[in-house]
Amino acid sequence: MTTTPAELFAAHRQRLEDAAAACSTRTWWSAFDESPSPRVYGEGAAAAGQAAFEAWLGGAFPLSTPGASGTVATERSPYGPELGVSYPRVTDVDALMTAARAGMKAWRDAGPDARTGVCLEVLHRLHARVFELANAVQHTSGQAFVMAFQAGGAHALDRALEAIAYAWTEMHRTPATALWEKPGRGEPLRMEKTFTVVPRGVALVIGCNTFPTWNSWPGLFASLVTGNPVVVKPHPAAVLPLAITVQVCQEVLSEAGFDANLVTLAAEEPDDRLAAALAVRPEVRLVDFTGGNAFGDWLEEHARQAVVFTEKAGVNTVVVDSTSDFRAMCQNLAFSFSLYSGQMCTAPQNVYLPAAGIATEDGMKSPAEVAAGIGAALDRLLGDDARAVELLGGIVNQGVLERLDAAGAGDVLVPSRAVSHPSYDAATVRTPTLLRLTAADAEVYETECFGPVAYLIETDGTDQSIELFRDTVQRHGAMTASVYSTSDAVVEQVRDAALDAGVALSENLLGGVFVNQSAAYSDFHGTGANPAATASYTDGAYVASRFRVVQSRRHV
């Protein structure tokens, strides 16, 4: 088996270079096939992965975490059954910090290529367990299986590889050595200089319930490859996908001759507040967080000793002015509202359109007709329960259901309905609801309503729609924005507003691309330029602040 860091780097170098090239050109490329088809992964892969997942249920996960005492078992599938997997419960943060730092010097001294080789081997082995991971993501997040395979497996691996490629590029931006010569009278002044990439300190990754791998792996691998030990603190409801991740990291690190505790799992009971305790430790110099505004804002304010990367809540916006294909627009929006029941940080929420209606290829359509068009598209997508559940997935937690139920008291244009899951009787599945608002209802639409809730907001015209979009996102943030218009001038106005607000924009999506999806190596997820996020997956800033370059110099 290939185990030395140099051999691992050589084995995976082509994939690394291809990823780096894709990042620089922003064209389509993927290292990991997103299709769970047996034609791609083999006839027995799906069954073996499901069996591997099921083997964990009801047992103790074989990880040893320094500073742990006792165990926790906190996961229940949104599809019904409790997972019953127990993990070491961290109670001694001092011991955890000491263990995390113990192998840091050797990991630093190994250098960028060795660390990169180890991280790429971790991705290779995670890919070999992608069906196991997909089942784990499905039964902790509520995503439907195919989405869990793609977003939780293949696409998450691509985002992790993207972060590694960016970090490798940035670590090599400065040469390891240089000969400096300054001309002078007689012999020039000569100095030899050495430049070493050094880590910042312990990195803390705080996982989320809905996308435990997709949202955690970029930060985890960006920190690890740049020399930082990583403590992974999973959401109590979504531990297993990250436990498998830590297990693979420790296996590869140990085989390559490094301290396995460079990556550790910090599991907790929901009321332990372990993330808050870890985040303010002086040893912790990097924090990655995905989740709600309350704790994200708290981290930004209180973890002053660390660089904090947050992805929080925002009000994703669609400006509808006009369209050349009304049915296709409604279908695209309906799919975006429905995908994983809107439980995505990129799902659209606020749809602004003129109260006087929008121009279409069939003439003017009133807001009521737009709502009816979206409702008809939702019926086509979700009318059959067996098909609907593969798009909607399950409601991830009670909070989403409570927000949806509360929204039902408003001016409902398209009601939500309960869907029966053909395989999981205990699953809670709901279709999206669409509510009517006006521009005066800012107290409602300026807050994210996470889940299958969208607002059709009537304005006095497209100019007001654009101003509301710009102002709301500047003050409250957004991860995505979209515009529908047949007018080049209007599209240019919205582009300008999106630049002012610092949010990524999609224009006239009518086909197989949806506003809540992004492609690794080409699309940036978040910008770090509005209150919804302080970072972007992935740009140079996301990785470069995770290390420093320290020099030494000498006469020669």
Side-chain angles (χ1 to χ4, degrees):
M1 179 182 290
T2 300
T3 56
T4 70
E7 290 173 325
L8 293 175
F9 182 78
H12 300 299
R13 180 162 191 160
Q14 188 60 58
R15 173 174 283 178
L16 173 69
E17 292 178 346
D18 289 346
C23 291
S24 66
T25 61
R26 314 310 294 181
T27 54
W28 181 88
W29 183 78
S30 176
F32 307 98
D33 200 299
E34 68 178 4
S35 171
S37 168
R39 292 189 298 273
V40 176
Y41 286 94
E43 288 295 334
Q50 183 175 351
F53 160 72
E54 291 174 350
W56 297 123
L57 304 182
F61 197 89
L63 279 178
S64 176
T65 300
S69 176
T71 60
V72 293
T74 52
E75 297 160 297
R76 182 184 183 88
S77 171
Y79 294 100
E82 290 189 10
L83 272 60
V85 187
S86 60
Y87 310 92
R89 180 185 186 182
V90 170
T91 56
D92 186 343
V93 174
D94 289 337
L96 178 62
M97 290 292 106
T98 299
R101 289 170 52 85
M104 191 171 168
K105 182 180 186 302
W107 186 235
R108 177 200 71 194
D109 293 347
D113 286 355
R115 293 193 298 269
T116 300
V118 169
C119 288
L120 292 172
E121 177 65 14
V122 173
L123 297 192
H124 175 70
R125 297 194 194 182
L126 287 171
H127 188 219
R129 298 172 67 171
V130 67
F131 282 94
E132 177 188 356
L133 282 160
N135 279 275
V137 170
Q138 177 186 11
H139 286 285
T140 52
S141 71
Q143 295 175 31
F145 176 78
V146 172
M147 183 176 181
F149 184 92
Q150 294 177 340
H155 298 171
L157 287 164
D158 270 327
R159 282 296 188 188
L161 177 57
E162 177 185 54
I164 292 170
Y166 261 97
W168 180 69
T169 299
E170 291 296 330
M171 288 188 291
H172 282 285
R173 190 171 298 282
T174 302
T177 60
L179 181 64
W180 181 86
E181 291 188 348
K182 180 179 180 180
R185 294 179 182 177
E187 287 294 311
L189 286 171
R190 292 190 181 92
M191 298 199 77
E192 180 185 67
K193 301 184 180 185
T194 301
F195 304 95
T196 303
V197 170
V198 298
R200 300 297 298 270
V202 175
L204 172 64
V205 175
I206 304 171
C208 66
N209 193 173
T210 48
F211 289 88
T213 54
W214 199 96
N215 275 117
S216 296
W217 284 358
L220 190 166
F221 287 101
S223 288
L224 186 62
V225 77
T226 50
N228 306 279
V230 182
V231 175
V232 179
K233 207 300 292 181
H235 190 285
V239 184
L240 184 57
L242 291 178
I244 294 169
T245 303
V246 171
Q247 182 185 58
V248 174
C249 288
Q250 292 188 346
E251 288 173 354
V252 177
L253 284 163
S254 182
E255 290 173 16
F258 298 103
D259 191 327
N261 287 326
L262 285 165
V263 181
T264 51
L265 184 77
E268 62 167 344
E269 290 285 359
D271 294 332
D272 285 354
R273 292 192 54 80
L274 181 59
L278 290 168
V280 296
R281 290 285 301 204
E283 303 93 338
V284 171
R285 303 303 299 277
L286 301 164
V287 177
D288 285 272
F289 168 77
T290 302
N293 283 341
F295 191 54
D297 292 344
W298 185 93
L299 288 169
E300 291 170 12
E301 181 178 353
H302 291 90
R304 298 289 181 96
Q305 84 293 348
V307 181
V308 179
F309 305 89
T310 58
E311 181 190 304
K312 302 177 293 184
V315 282
N316 300 322
T317 299
V318 183
V319 173
V320 180
D321 168 73
S322 54
T323 182
S324 61
D325 191 331
F326 180 73
R327 180 184 172 99
M329 180 191 77
C330 291
Q331 195 75 14
N332 194 281
L333 287 172
F335 186 95
S336 297
F337 295 144
S338 302
L339 185 61
Y340 186 31
S341 301
Q343 297 168 127
M344 305 173 68
C345 62
T346 51
Q349 173 181 295
N350 292 350
V351 182
Y352 297 107
L353 80 172
I358 65 169
T360 77
E361 76 279 16
D362 295 323
M364 294 296 292
K365 299 278 189 182
S366 68
E369 290 174 304
V370 173
I374 294 172
L378 288 167
D379 288 341
R380 290 192 295 272
L381 277 174
L382 309 174
D384 177 72
D385 283 3
R387 287 182 53 217
V389 296
E390 299 306 321
L391 182 60
L392 294 167
I395 298 298
V396 67
N397 57 45
Q398 188 63 27
V400 174
L401 192 61
E402 289 171 359
R403 286 190 292 273
L404 174 60
D405 289 343
D411 189 350
V412 178
L413 297 169
V414 178
S416 175
R417 72 174 182 89
V419 175
S420 297
H421 201 296
S423 301
Y424 301 100
D425 292 341
T428 301
V429 185
R430 297 286 189 274
T431 63
T433 188
L434 185 63
L435 305 177
R436 176 186 176 272
L437 298 176
T438 71
D441 296 314
E443 75 281 359
V444 178
Y445 63 73
E446 287 186 351
T447 300
E448 182 189 48
C449 187
F450 187 76
V453 177
Y455 303 128
L456 204 64
I457 306 165
E458 297 178 17
T459 68
D460 63 18
T462 295
D463 285 345
Q464 185 184 35
S465 296
I466 296 170
E467 281 308 307
L468 287 172
F469 157 53
R470 177 190 281 110
D471 176 67
T472 301
V473 176
Q474 283 179 330
R475 290 188 295 113
H476 301 286
M479 297 298 291
T480 63
S482 179
V483 60
Y484 288 92
S485 180
T486 58
S487 165
D488 291 343
V490 168
V491 170
E492 188 58 41
Q493 276 184 275
V494 178
R495 285 178 188 163
D496 189 67
L499 293 175
D500 290 343
V503 63
L505 178 68
S506 297
E507 302 168 7
N508 292 314
L509 297 183
L510 300 173
V513 175
F514 305 94
V515 69
N516 37 355
Q517 297 174 323
S518 65
Y521 316 108
S522 185
D523 294 322
F524 292 104
H525 175 73
T527 64
N530 70 64
T534 63
S536 175
Y537 299 170
T538 299
D539 58 12
Y542 185 69
V543 297
S545 55
R546 297 174 191 264
F547 66 90
R548 288 290 182 256
V549 177
V550 177
Q551 74 169 43
S552 61
R553 59 183 181 171
R554 62 209 64 87
H555 285 293
V556 293

